[in-house]
Amino acid sequence: MIGASVHGRDIVALHRPVESSRVRVVVIGGIHGNEPVSPPIVRSLVDVPMPADVEVWLLPEMNPDGIAAGTRANANGRDLNRNFGWGWLPYDGGPAPFSEPETTAAADLVLRAQPHVVVWVHQPLSYVSSIGSTPDALEEAWSRGSGIPVRRDVTQHGGGESWTNFTAGFPSMLIEANGWEATPQMVAAHRNGFAELIALFG
Ligand SMILES: [Zn+2]
């Protein structure tokens, strides 16, 4: 448990602990509650084979209240991917950066993990993007594995993926899954993308 939502629902991260971590990876989905594709994609990564010294945190449902209600926003009506502290704007970012408990839970997880990459999963625009200074090799690996095209130079004001790189200074990726339904083929494709990403870290 890494936090609780506005309505008190647990925000749960699946943690693959290791004795001594060489590489640390965080994957976050369920940011918008009306995007049903990302929770199953993130959960499917739990048994991807990887080296013994790769530590992983999977957060399938960052916005459990929004998922329960089928809404993009959280229970306060805030778009969580406008509530992070990079490029925050008052008209759509909530009352202040990190005003929402779901945003702070995710940001705290990222800061605690000191990750080598954070992957943020949305839908349905069908692209993968390395944010800011994140090496192109990362988006190319996920693209190779998933068949989803690369899109360069993506930013989002108040977005978690943008805050992760531009403010927190960690490599960050945005995955926009292709479509609105988590078909087994789509989940498998993104699982392959994640496996290719992990392979980069040897
Ligand atoms: Zn989204």
Side-chain angles (χ1 to χ4, degrees):
M1 251 200 68
I2 61 162
S5 69
V6 171
H7 281 170
R9 288 188 172 88
D10 291 349
I11 301 174
V12 177
L14 309 169
H15 181 213
R16 178 184 194 255
V18 301
E19 231 161 74
S20 171
S21 70
R22 176 179 54 90
V23 176
R24 292 172 298 282
V25 178
V26 178
V27 186
I28 299 177
I31 303 146
H32 293 132
N34 62 346
E35 297 178 359
V37 165
S38 63
I41 288 176
V42 176
R43 276 191 215 100
S44 80
L45 308 180
V46 75
D47 59 353
V48 170
M50 64 183 70
D53 54 3
V54 177
E55 188 169 14
V56 180
W57 291 263
L58 302 175
L59 174 46
E61 299 189 357
M62 176 180 150
N63 181 9
D65 292 347
I67 289 168
T71 58
R72 176 178 174 91
N74 73 349
N76 288 333
R78 311 260 156 72
D79 185 331
L80 301 178
N81 216 45
R82 304 292 182 272
N83 189 237
F84 286 82
W86 181 83
W88 178 88
L89 293 172
Y91 79 89
D92 63 358
F98 302 109
S99 60
E100 306 309 301
E102 299 88 354
T103 315
T104 56
D108 288 350
L109 172 64
V110 168
L111 294 173
R112 204 165 58 243
Q114 298 284 300
H116 293 76
V117 63
V118 183
V119 181
W120 299 80
V121 186
H122 289 268
Q123 67 181 79
L125 301 176
S126 192
Y127 65 78
V128 303
S129 192
S130 286
I131 304 298
S133 64
T134 305
D136 291 346
L138 276 60
E139 63 190 2
E140 286 159 6
W142 196 293
S143 178
R144 196 164 56 239
S146 66
I148 304 297
V150 165
R151 182 159 144 192
R152 304 223 189 263
D153 300 326
V154 172
T155 64
Q156 173 59 57
H157 69 268
E161 72 299 309
S162 298
W163 168 82
T164 297
N165 185 254
F166 294 118
T167 304
F170 301 111
S172 176
M173 297 180 69
L174 174 59
I175 308 300
E176 278 277 352
N178 44 320
W180 287 96
E181 198 192 336
T183 64
Q185 293 85 345
M186 183 204 285
V187 171
H190 287 283
R191 201 171 177 279
N192 287 340
F194 180 72
E196 290 283 336
L197 178 72
I198 292 297
L200 285 184
F201 295 106

